[in-house]
Every structure is written in structure tokens, then in C-alpha cells.
Amino acid sequence: KGNAIKFLANKYGFSEKEVMAIGDQNNDIEMIEMVGTGVAMGNGTPQIKLKADYITDDVANNGFVKAVNKFVWGINV
């Protein structure tokens, strides 16, 4: 996942620090650590929550949508 972010950021001409990534499991930690805004889902593992810049709501309560609204659109819900 981290390599995919590096590849796509490079391909489209921006830095990994300009990327937001959202994850919920330990296999998402590398990705969360490398981006500018790392978001953990509320139902994520304790380890990913420690590494994230922000913890959103859980999946059942639209945590993904809430994070996108906050960090992409600037809407706090």
C-alpha cells in the first residue's frame, strides 16, 4: 500500500505528504505513517490508532465519509 501511494503520487506529480490515507488494520500502518494525513477508522486496531494523525468514526457510522468530508471538503459533521 505504501509503494502504491509512492507510485501514484509520483505519477501525478505530488508528494506523499499531500496524501490522506485511511486504514483500520496493522497492514495499513506503513501507509498511515508515510502520508501527510493518516486516518484510522474507529473500529481499527489499537496499533493503527496510535500511529494515525486522526481517528474517525467506525465503519458502521460512516467514518470514511466523515474523514473525507473533514480533510478533503473541510466539512465537520
Side-chain angles (χ1 to χ4, degrees):
K1 295 178 183 180
N3 287 334
I5 286 176
K6 284 181 188 178
F7 174 81
L8 290 170
N10 184 51
K11 178 177 178 162
Y12 292 105
F14 51 89
S15 161
E16 296 95 27
K17 295 302 178 190
E18 296 176 271
V19 174
M20 176 183 75
I22 304 172
D24 64 350
Q25 298 298 311
N26 291 347
N27 67 338
D28 297 320
I29 290 174
E30 176 191 5
M31 174 182 68
I32 291 292
E33 290 179 322
M34 71 179 299
V35 297
T37 305
V39 179
M41 294 295 294
N43 56 294
T45 64
Q47 294 86 352
I48 198 163
K49 289 179 180 179
L50 287 173
K51 300 291 184 173
D53 301 304
Y54 181 78
I55 301 170
T56 189
D57 213 336
D58 63 25
V59 68
N61 291 304
N62 297 316
F64 179 88
V65 173
K66 289 176 181 176
V68 170
N69 281 339
K70 178 177 180 65
F71 292 107
V72 176
W73 304 116
I75 303 168
N76 282 316
V77 217

